[in-house]
Amino acid sequence: MFKNVFGSGFLVRTAHVVLTWVITLILFLHDTDLRKQEETGELTLPVLFVLLVLVSVLLYFAVSLMDPGFVLSDDCDLQFTLGIAEETQDMMPQTTKSIRLRRCGHCLVQQPMRSKHCQTCQHCVRRYDHHCPWIENCIGERNHRWFVLYLAVQLVVLLWGLYMAWSGFSHVPTWQLWLRTNGVLLGAAAVVAVLSLTVLLLLGSHLYLVSLNTTTWEFMSRHRISYLKHCGVDENPFDRGTLRNLWGFFCVWEPLVWEHMYFKQSNDPI
């Protein structure tokens, strides 16, 4: 389920963890509300902040090391399980959206619908969303919900950290003295502000796509995807309505058979 922590993304993961705890340490070393409450013995908020940072780091590693839904070679009988083996596809109702499932030209496995080969991971990934260089892993069927949860927790940590950094700026009479006094905290606040905006945009875009039951890859490359390029501009064969899409994404843990949903939606009424 999990990949080797010392794999190709070791430096990226190390940099993320070091940056996280360095900024946390800066917030406690300067005269922020966190340090003031710690010095007065009011430990509730400082402890809660540290625990939230720890949760964000653990979620980061979970998403980074988790199998995103690799299509393995032992999935060769998948098409028979779905009832749509290659030799029986010709028996399906023919519609304008009928497609023939393809075999990956790189890893030579039969690709389930909504899967894509990742050149970085060298695997086909089920319900492929994108390859994230931040976590050095693909975002796919198994870890997408955890990725969204990680973004939400990370955003709370970043906004809280930004507020704490703001509370720690000292008031001095000149700009030169102010920069010397607050330079390190200002740099940390700038990094946190940039990361907050980035995570906010990422979280918002993913929640929007999830509400439509589509992926980043499908949204960006719709015209090149065999099972979507025959659909209308505003047509999504996987869309079941916003509430059902959100429920299915966050609350349904069993893997879905997208082929069944696709052909159910695309079959012409008799």
Side-chain angles (χ1 to χ4, degrees), residues 159-217:
L159 293 178
W160 194 354
L162 190 60
Y163 175 78
M164 289 296 108
W166 180 265
S167 70
F169 289 130
S170 303
H171 299 284
V172 292
T174 64
W175 277 105
Q176 292 80 2
L177 183 58
W178 189 90
L179 286 175
R180 284 199 299 269
T181 305
N182 301 292
V184 175
L185 188 60
L186 179 62
V191 172
V192 172
V194 172
L195 291 177
S196 297
L197 180 60
T198 303
V199 173
L200 177 63
L201 293 175
L202 276 173
L203 180 60
S205 63
H206 276 275
L207 288 176
Y208 170 72
L209 294 176
V210 167
S211 71
L212 300 176
N213 201 355
T214 190
T215 65
T216 302
W217 173 56

Coordinates of all heavy atoms in Angstrom, one line a residue, residues 159-217:
L159 N -3.2 29.3 7.5 CA -3.9 30.6 7.8 C -3.7 30.9 9.3 O -3.5 32.0 9.7 CB -5.3 30.4 7.5 CG -5.7 30.3 6.0 CD1 -7.2 30.1 5.8 CD2 -5.2 31.6 5.3
W160 N -3.7 29.8 10.1 CA -3.4 30.0 11.6 C -2.0 30.5 11.8 O -1.7 31.4 12.6 CB -3.7 28.7 12.3 CG -3.8 28.9 13.8 CD1 -3.5 30.0 14.5 CD2 -4.1 27.9 14.7 NE1 -3.7 29.8 15.9 CE2 -4.1 28.4 16.0 CE3 -4.5 26.5 14.6 CZ2 -4.4 27.7 17.2 CZ3 -4.8 25.8 15.8 CH2 -4.7 26.4 17.0
G161 N -1.0 29.9 11.1 CA 0.4 30.3 11.2 C 0.6 31.8 10.7 O 1.3 32.5 11.3
L162 N -0.2 32.2 9.6 CA -0.1 33.5 9.1 C -0.6 34.5 10.2 O 0.0 35.6 10.4 CB -0.8 33.6 7.8 CG -0.7 34.9 7.0 CD1 0.8 35.1 6.6 CD2 -1.6 34.9 5.8
Y163 N -1.7 34.2 10.8 CA -2.2 35.0 11.9 C -1.2 35.1 13.0 O -1.0 36.2 13.6 CB -3.6 34.5 12.3 CG -4.1 35.2 13.5 CD1 -4.7 36.5 13.3 CD2 -4.0 34.7 14.8 CE1 -5.3 37.2 14.4 CE2 -4.5 35.4 15.9 CZ -5.2 36.6 15.7 OH -5.7 37.3 16.8
M164 N -0.6 34.0 13.4 CA 0.4 34.0 14.5 C 1.6 34.9 14.1 O 2.1 35.6 15.0 CB 0.8 32.6 14.8 CG -0.3 31.8 15.5 SD -0.8 32.4 17.2 CE -2.4 33.0 16.8
A165 N 2.0 34.8 12.9 CA 3.2 35.6 12.5 C 2.8 37.1 12.5 O 3.7 37.9 13.0 CB 3.6 35.2 11.0
W166 N 1.6 37.4 12.1 CA 1.2 38.8 12.2 C 1.2 39.3 13.6 O 1.6 40.5 13.9 CB -0.2 39.0 11.6 CG -0.7 40.4 11.6 CD1 -1.5 41.0 12.5 CD2 -0.4 41.4 10.6 NE1 -1.8 42.3 12.2 CE2 -1.1 42.6 11.0 CE3 0.4 41.4 9.4 CZ2 -1.1 43.7 10.3 CZ3 0.4 42.6 8.7 CH2 -0.3 43.8 9.1
S167 N 0.8 38.5 14.6 CA 0.8 38.9 16.0 C 2.2 39.1 16.6 O 2.3 39.7 17.6 CB 0.0 37.8 16.8 OG 0.7 36.6 16.9
G168 N 3.2 38.6 15.9 CA 4.5 38.6 16.5 C 5.4 39.8 16.0 O 6.5 39.9 16.5
F169 N 4.9 40.6 15.1 CA 5.7 41.7 14.6 C 5.8 42.8 15.7 O 4.8 43.2 16.3 CB 5.0 42.4 13.4 CG 5.2 41.5 12.1 CD1 4.0 41.2 11.4 CD2 6.4 41.0 11.8 CE1 4.1 40.4 10.2 CE2 6.5 40.2 10.6 CZ 5.4 39.9 9.9
S170 N 7.1 43.2 15.9 CA 7.3 44.2 17.0 C 7.2 45.6 16.4 O 7.6 45.8 15.2 CB 8.7 44.0 17.6 OG 8.9 42.7 18.1
H171 N 6.8 46.5 17.1 CA 6.7 47.9 16.7 C 7.9 48.7 17.2 O 8.2 48.8 18.4 CB 5.4 48.6 17.2 CG 4.1 47.9 16.8 ND1 3.6 48.0 15.5 CD2 3.3 47.0 17.4 CE1 2.5 47.3 15.4 NE2 2.3 46.7 16.6
V172 N 8.6 49.2 16.2 CA 9.9 50.0 16.5 C 9.8 51.3 15.7 O 9.1 51.4 14.7 CB 11.1 49.2 16.2 CG1 11.3 48.0 17.1 CG2 11.1 48.7 14.7
P173 N 10.6 52.3 16.1 CA 10.5 53.6 15.5 C 10.9 53.7 14.0 O 10.4 54.6 13.3 CB 11.3 54.5 16.4 CG 12.2 53.6 17.1 CD 11.5 52.3 17.2
T174 N 11.9 53.0 13.6 CA 12.4 53.1 12.2 C 12.3 51.8 11.4 O 12.3 50.7 12.0 CB 13.9 53.5 12.2 OG1 14.7 52.4 12.8 CG2 14.1 54.8 13.0
W175 N 12.2 52.0 10.1 CA 12.1 50.8 9.2 C 13.3 49.9 9.3 O 13.2 48.7 9.2 CB 11.9 51.3 7.7 CG 10.5 51.6 7.4 CD1 9.9 52.8 7.3 CD2 9.4 50.7 7.3 NE1 8.6 52.7 7.0 CE2 8.2 51.4 7.0 CE3 9.3 49.3 7.3 CZ2 7.0 50.8 6.8 CZ3 8.1 48.7 7.1 CH2 6.9 49.4 6.8
Q176 N 14.5 50.5 9.4 CA 15.8 49.7 9.4 C 15.8 48.8 10.7 O 16.1 47.6 10.6 CB 17.0 50.6 9.4 CG 17.2 51.4 8.1 CD 16.3 52.6 8.0 OE1 15.6 53.0 8.9 NE2 16.5 53.3 6.9
L177 N 15.4 49.4 11.8 CA 15.3 48.6 13.0 C 14.2 47.6 13.0 O 14.4 46.5 13.5 CB 15.2 49.6 14.2 CG 15.2 48.9 15.6 CD1 16.5 48.1 15.8 CD2 14.9 50.0 16.7
W178 N 13.1 48.0 12.3 CA 12.0 47.0 12.2 C 12.4 45.8 11.4 O 12.0 44.7 11.8 CB 10.8 47.7 11.6 CG 9.5 46.9 11.6 CD1 8.6 46.9 12.6 CD2 9.1 46.0 10.6 NE1 7.6 46.1 12.2 CE2 7.9 45.5 11.0 CE3 9.6 45.5 9.4 CZ2 7.2 44.5 10.3 CZ3 8.9 44.6 8.7 CH2 7.7 44.1 9.1
L179 N 13.1 46.0 10.3 CA 13.5 44.9 9.5 C 14.5 44.0 10.2 O 14.5 42.8 10.0 CB 14.1 45.4 8.1 CG 13.1 46.0 7.1 CD1 13.8 46.6 5.9 CD2 12.1 44.9 6.7
R180 N 15.4 44.6 10.9 CA 16.4 43.8 11.7 C 15.7 43.0 12.8 O 16.1 41.9 13.0 CB 17.5 44.8 12.3 CG 18.5 45.3 11.3 CD 19.7 45.7 12.0 NE 19.5 46.8 13.0 CZ 19.5 48.1 12.6 NH1 19.9 48.5 11.4 NH2 19.3 49.1 13.5
T181 N 14.7 43.6 13.4 CA 14.0 42.9 14.4 C 13.0 41.8 13.9 O 12.9 40.8 14.5 CB 13.2 43.9 15.3 OG1 14.1 45.0 15.8 CG2 12.5 43.3 16.5
N182 N 12.3 42.1 12.8 CA 11.3 41.2 12.3 C 11.6 40.6 11.0 O 10.7 39.9 10.4 CB 10.0 42.0 12.1 CG 9.5 42.7 13.4 OD1 9.1 42.0 14.3 ND2 9.6 44.0 13.4
G183 N 12.9 40.7 10.6 CA 13.2 40.1 9.3 C 13.0 38.6 9.1 O 12.4 38.2 8.1
V184 N 13.4 37.8 10.1 CA 13.2 36.4 10.0 C 11.7 36.1 10.0 O 11.2 35.2 9.2 CB 13.9 35.7 11.1 CG1 13.6 34.2 11.1 CG2 15.4 35.9 11.0
L185 N 10.9 36.7 10.9 CA 9.5 36.4 11.0 C 8.8 36.9 9.7 O 7.8 36.3 9.2 CB 8.9 37.2 12.2 CG 7.5 36.8 12.6 CD1 7.3 35.4 12.8 CD2 7.0 37.7 13.8
L186 N 9.3 38.0 9.1 CA 8.7 38.5 7.9 C 8.9 37.5 6.8 O 8.0 37.3 6.0 CB 9.3 39.9 7.5 CG 8.8 40.5 6.2 CD1 7.3 40.8 6.3 CD2 9.6 41.8 5.9
G187 N 10.1 36.9 6.7 CA 10.4 35.9 5.7 C 9.5 34.7 5.8 O 9.0 34.2 4.8
A188 N 9.3 34.3 7.1 CA 8.5 33.1 7.3 C 7.0 33.4 6.9 O 6.3 32.6 6.3 CB 8.6 32.7 8.8
A189 N 6.6 34.7 7.3 CA 5.2 35.0 7.0 C 5.0 35.1 5.4 O 3.9 34.7 4.9 CB 4.9 36.4 7.6
A190 N 6.0 35.6 4.7 CA 5.9 35.7 3.3 C 5.8 34.3 2.7 O 4.9 34.0 1.8 CB 7.1 36.4 2.7
V191 N 6.6 33.3 3.1 CA 6.5 31.9 2.6 C 5.1 31.4 3.0 O 4.5 30.7 2.1 CB 7.6 31.1 3.3 CG1 7.4 29.6 2.9 CG2 8.9 31.5 2.8
V192 N 4.6 31.6 4.2 CA 3.3 31.1 4.6 C 2.2 31.7 3.7 O 1.2 31.0 3.3 CB 3.1 31.3 6.1 CG1 1.6 30.9 6.5 CG2 4.1 30.5 6.9
A193 N 2.3 33.0 3.4 CA 1.3 33.7 2.6 C 1.2 33.1 1.2 O 0.1 32.8 0.7 CB 1.6 35.2 2.6
V194 N 2.4 32.9 0.6 CA 2.4 32.3 -0.7 C 1.8 30.9 -0.7 O 1.0 30.5 -1.6 CB 3.8 32.3 -1.3 CG1 3.9 31.5 -2.6 CG2 4.3 33.7 -1.5
L195 N 2.2 30.1 0.3 CA 1.7 28.7 0.4 C 0.2 28.7 0.6 O -0.5 27.8 0.1 CB 2.5 27.9 1.4 CG 3.9 27.6 1.2 CD1 4.6 27.0 2.4 CD2 4.1 26.7 -0.1
S196 N -0.3 29.6 1.4 CA -1.7 29.7 1.7 C -2.5 30.0 0.5 O -3.5 29.3 0.2 CB -2.0 30.8 2.8 OG -1.3 30.6 4.0
L197 N -2.0 30.9 -0.4 CA -2.7 31.2 -1.6 C -2.7 30.0 -2.5 O -3.7 29.6 -3.1 CB -2.1 32.4 -2.3 CG -2.7 32.8 -3.6 CD1 -4.2 33.2 -3.4 CD2 -1.9 34.0 -4.2
T198 N -1.6 29.3 -2.6 CA -1.5 28.1 -3.5 C -2.4 27.0 -3.0 O -3.1 26.4 -3.8 CB 0.0 27.6 -3.5 OG1 0.9 28.7 -3.9 CG2 0.1 26.4 -4.4
V199 N -2.4 26.7 -1.7 CA -3.2 25.7 -1.2 C -4.7 26.0 -1.3 O -5.6 25.2 -1.7 CB -2.9 25.4 0.3 CG1 -3.9 24.4 0.9 CG2 -1.5 24.8 0.3
L200 N -5.1 27.3 -1.1 CA -6.5 27.7 -1.3 C -6.9 27.5 -2.7 O -8.1 27.0 -2.9 CB -6.6 29.2 -0.9 CG -8.0 29.8 -1.1 CD1 -9.0 29.2 -0.2 CD2 -7.9 31.3 -0.8
L201 N -6.1 27.9 -3.7 CA -6.5 27.7 -5.1 C -6.6 26.2 -5.4 O -7.5 25.8 -6.1 CB -5.5 28.3 -6.0 CG -5.4 29.9 -5.9 CD1 -4.3 30.4 -6.8 CD2 -6.8 30.5 -6.4
L202 N -5.7 25.4 -4.9 CA -5.7 23.9 -5.2 C -7.0 23.3 -4.6 O -7.7 22.5 -5.2 CB -4.5 23.3 -4.6 CG -3.2 23.3 -5.4 CD1 -2.0 22.7 -4.6 CD2 -3.4 22.5 -6.7
L203 N -7.2 23.7 -3.3 CA -8.4 23.1 -2.6 C -9.7 23.5 -3.3 O -10.6 22.6 -3.5 CB -8.4 23.5 -1.2 CG -9.6 23.0 -0.3 CD1 -9.6 21.5 -0.3 CD2 -9.5 23.6 1.1
G204 N -9.8 24.7 -3.7 CA -11.0 25.2 -4.4 C -11.2 24.5 -5.7 O -12.3 24.1 -6.0
S205 N -10.1 24.4 -6.5 CA -10.3 23.7 -7.8 C -10.6 22.3 -7.7 O -11.4 21.7 -8.4 CB -9.0 23.9 -8.6 OG -7.9 23.3 -7.9
H206 N -10.0 21.6 -6.7 CA -10.3 20.1 -6.5 C -11.7 19.9 -6.0 O -12.4 19.0 -6.5 CB -9.3 19.5 -5.6 CG -8.0 19.1 -6.3 ND1 -7.9 17.9 -6.9 CD2 -6.9 19.7 -6.4 CE1 -6.7 17.8 -7.5 NE2 -6.0 18.9 -7.2
L207 N -12.2 20.8 -5.1 CA -13.6 20.6 -4.6 C -14.6 20.9 -5.8 O -15.6 20.2 -5.9 CB -13.9 21.6 -3.5 CG -13.2 21.2 -2.2 CD1 -13.5 22.3 -1.1 CD2 -13.7 19.9 -1.7
Y208 N -14.2 21.8 -6.6 CA -15.1 22.1 -7.8 C -15.2 20.9 -8.7 O -16.2 20.5 -9.2 CB -14.6 23.4 -8.5 CG -15.2 23.6 -9.9 CD1 -16.6 24.1 -9.9 CD2 -14.6 23.4 -11.1 CE1 -17.2 24.3 -11.2 CE2 -15.2 23.6 -12.3 CZ -16.5 24.0 -12.3 OH -17.1 24.2 -13.5
L209 N -14.0 20.4 -9.0 CA -13.9 19.2 -9.9 C -14.6 18.0 -9.3 O -15.3 17.2 -10.0 CB -12.5 18.9 -10.3 CG -11.8 19.9 -11.1 CD1 -10.3 19.5 -11.3 CD2 -12.4 20.1 -12.5
V210 N -14.4 17.8 -8.0 CA -15.1 16.7 -7.3 C -16.6 16.8 -7.4 O -17.3 15.8 -7.6 CB -14.6 16.6 -5.9 CG1 -15.5 15.7 -5.1 CG2 -13.2 16.1 -5.8
S211 N -17.1 18.1 -7.3 CA -18.5 18.3 -7.3 C -19.1 18.0 -8.7 O -20.3 17.7 -8.8 CB -18.9 19.7 -6.9 OG -18.5 20.6 -8.0
L212 N -18.3 17.9 -9.7 CA -18.7 17.6 -11.1 C -18.4 16.1 -11.4 O -18.7 15.7 -12.5 CB -18.0 18.5 -12.1 CG -18.3 20.0 -12.0 CD1 -17.5 20.8 -13.0 CD2 -19.8 20.3 -12.1
N213 N -17.7 15.4 -10.5 CA -17.2 14.1 -10.7 C -16.3 14.0 -12.0 O -16.5 13.2 -12.8 CB -18.4 13.1 -10.8 CG -17.9 11.7 -10.6 OD1 -16.7 11.4 -10.4 ND2 -18.9 10.7 -10.5
T214 N -15.4 14.9 -12.0 CA -14.4 14.9 -13.1 C -13.0 15.1 -12.5 O -12.9 15.4 -11.3 CB -14.7 16.0 -14.1 OG1 -13.8 15.8 -15.3 CG2 -14.4 17.4 -13.6
T215 N -12.0 14.8 -13.2 CA -10.6 14.9 -12.7 C -9.9 16.0 -13.4 O -10.3 16.6 -14.5 CB -9.9 13.6 -12.9 OG1 -9.7 13.4 -14.3 CG2 -10.6 12.4 -12.3
T216 N -8.7 16.4 -12.9 CA -7.9 17.4 -13.5 C -7.5 17.0 -14.9 O -7.6 17.9 -15.8 CB -6.7 17.7 -12.7 OG1 -7.0 18.1 -11.3 CG2 -5.8 18.8 -13.3
W217 N -7.1 15.8 -15.1 CA -6.7 15.3 -16.4 C -7.9 15.4 -17.4 O -7.8 15.8 -18.5 CB -6.2 13.9 -16.3 CG -5.9 13.2 -17.6 CD1 -5.1 13.7 -18.6 CD2 -6.5 12.0 -18.1 NE1 -5.1 12.8 -19.6 CE2 -6.0 11.7 -19.3 CE3 -7.3 11.0 -17.5 CZ2 -6.3 10.6 -20.1 CZ3 -7.7 9.9 -18.2 CH2 -7.1 9.7 -19.5

